[in-house]
Amino acid sequence: MTAVSALSLAAWLWLLLARGFFWRTDVRLPAREEPDVWPSVCVVVPARDEAAVLPASLPSLLAQDYPGRAEVFLIDDGSTDGTGELACELARRHEGLPLTVASPGEPPAGWTGKLWAVRHGVDLARAREPEYLLLTDADIAHAPDSLRRLVAAARTGGFDVVSQMARLRVESVWERLVVPAFVYFFAQLYPFRWIGGEGATAAAAGGCVLLRAEAAERARIPDAIRHAVIDDVALARAVKGDGGRIWLGLADRVDSVRPYPRLHDLWRMVSRSAYAQLRHNPLVLAGTVAGLALVYLVPPASVVAGTATGSAAAAVLGAASWLVMAGTYVPMLRYYRQGLWLAPLLPFTALLYLLMTVDSAVQHYRGRGAAWKGRTYTRPGAVPEEG
């Protein structure tokens, strides 16, 4: 028990000091200067059954205070709740950027539904010959200067991709417990400081991706990633692999309005793609479960077991690991304006994520693989099924 506790503490010291300082939340939009001539931008919004969130998100896009030419394309991917009609109505009610609503039809074999909608929107946008494409989800609300800041950062830094991790909603009890940890774990997998460097680490946040149109054509986006379930990471890898420069950080003025009031809602959000993140590999799954247990579950278990058995060394090592773990979580809780009492509960939240990941694998082998808005994908490249 003492040896395992020591190994867990060693893992936490490595994460603290050698994992790109993933736990810090100061990676925000880089320094930027406004260009003399603002480039044209087309905004592409894939949407499927999003009538519940559009009134809180779409008007914010239409109201962008952007000095250059900009246009919004909302691609209604077979919605049954009147998403397309509502989008047109919102555009009539709110003055601002021009809006085009279109439907791509059913995706062909080898395409995930969301990326098929993105491709249709990109094809429409290319007729306008924009310099940049903003790919954003239907639940994302943008501050009036969001597009302006993104473009200025891309032009100043010479980036082909500038992506912001939208601030997710944290209002229900389960959102407070699970959502900040979601972003914390994402940053642990893809340290933001490493993404802009020359190494292999590449990622983006699909809710807000500004993409240079020339880089998209060069990397064959979205065709090259048409089967990807985790499309934002696949997009970033494709652009960086083609020599493009990418940047990812936390957002200050870009927010998700989608509610996740129940644990079931959050469970589905994570489990729908967790096993795809592990490339559907049972060995990687086993290693992930073992790693999560060692890093997040061993510290509190060592404290309890060490105290119960009189093993002071195990208890002290476990407490030290738990303290480091909680300390690294504090910046993310502050970013989400949450109470610091949640920091010691991170092992429980990690256990939930471990179970979600295992459930994702179980669903995959039951033939209910990754999903987007009712369409399931049983394997990479599979024909989507309605469900």
Side-chain angles (χ1 to χ4, degrees):
M1 183 168 54
T2 301
V4 173
S5 301
L7 185 60
S8 180
L9 178 58
W12 270 111
L13 292 176
W14 178 80
L15 287 169
L16 176 69
L17 301 173
R19 189 64 187 168
F21 296 101
F22 76 93
W23 43 273
R24 295 181 58 173
T25 56
D26 56 348
V27 181
R28 310 295 174 88
L29 272 181
R32 56 201 173 274
E33 296 179 1
E34 296 195 345
D36 295 330
V37 178
W38 289 87
S40 61
V41 182
C42 285
V43 183
V44 177
V45 186
R48 179 174 168 86
D49 293 333
E50 298 285 18
V53 296
L54 275 187
S57 60
L58 185 59
S60 74
L61 275 176
L62 302 177
Q64 285 300 297
D65 177 22
Y66 186 68
R69 181 167 59 88
E71 185 174 352
V72 180
F73 294 87
L74 186 137
I75 310 303
D76 181 11
D77 180 24
S79 299
T80 59
D81 65 350
T83 289
E85 294 82 357
L86 176 59
C88 293
E89 176 60 27
L90 290 170
R92 284 191 290 269
R93 273 192 262 154
H94 299 272
E95 295 182 1
L97 302 183
L99 172 70
T100 298
V101 176
S103 177
E106 289 298 308
W111 283 83
T112 60
K114 179 180 178 180
L115 284 171
W116 180 242
V118 169
R119 189 208 180 180
H120 192 70
V122 169
D123 286 346
L124 292 174
R126 279 175 176 155
R128 308 296 200 270
E129 298 183 344
E131 186 171 339
Y132 290 95
L133 300 164
L134 174 61
L135 311 180
T136 185
D137 289 342
D139 65 308
I140 302 299
H142 293 256
D145 62 347
S146 173
L147 181 57
R148 186 176 189 142
R149 286 157 52 90
L150 284 165
V151 171
R155 290 295 291 268
T156 303
F159 295 110
D160 296 292
V161 171
V162 172
S163 179
Q164 289 185 292
M165 175 74 71
R167 199 189 302 258
L168 305 177
R169 200 186 89 141
V170 282
E171 294 183 14
S172 72
V173 172
W174 287 112
E175 285 171 341
R176 294 173 189 271
L177 187 65
V178 174
V179 165
F182 177 83
V183 182
Y184 172 89
F185 292 142
F186 183 93
Q188 195 175 80
L189 282 173
Y190 306 104
F192 295 159
R193 282 176 170 77
W194 289 1
I195 288 171
E198 297 181 357
T201 304
C208 179
V209 179
L210 184 75
L211 173 63
R212 191 188 300 272
E214 180 183 351
E217 288 197 41
R218 196 169 58 240
R220 297 177 51 249
I221 302 295
D223 295 61
I225 60 171
R226 61 187 178 275
H227 56 76
V229 174
I230 308 175
D231 53 273
D232 43 11
V233 174
L235 181 151
R237 285 174 176 165
V239 172
K240 191 170 187 178
D242 197 57
R245 296 190 63 211
I246 66 176
W247 182 93
L248 171 64
L250 294 172
D252 288 313
R253 301 169 64 77
V254 178
D255 302 280
S256 172
V257 299
R258 191 182 305 284
Y260 294 98
R262 304 170 299 166
L263 176 60
H264 173 72
D265 303 314
L266 290 158
W267 194 288
R268 288 184 60 191
M269 178 190 75
V270 175
S271 65
R272 69 182 178 87
S273 60
Y275 197 39
Q277 176 69 51
L278 304 180
R279 301 182 181 180
H280 305 100
N281 188 319
L283 293 178
V284 177
L285 173 66
T288 299
V289 170
L292 285 172
L294 174 68
V295 172
Y296 291 100
L297 305 186
V298 165
S302 296
V303 171
V304 173
T307 302
T309 62
S311 176
V316 169
L317 289 169
S321 299
W322 201 350
L323 182 63
V324 175
M325 179 197 316
T328 63
Y329 194 35
V330 165
M332 189 61 69
L333 290 174
R334 285 179 172 164
Y335 170 74
Y336 272 98
R337 306 181 185 96
Q338 298 303 301
L340 300 188
W341 61 271
L342 287 165
L345 299 181
L346 187 56
F348 173 70
T349 305
L351 175 61
L352 289 178
Y353 275 90
L354 186 155
L355 296 175
M356 293 173 193
T357 303
V358 172
D359 181 58
S360 179
V362 170
Q363 295 302 319
H364 172 79
Y365 290 113
R366 286 181 176 176
R368 298 287 298 176
W372 184 66
K373 291 292 179 179
R375 288 197 178 103
T376 59
Y377 307 91
T378 56
R379 62 186 182 280
V383 178
E385 303 171 353
E386 299 297 332

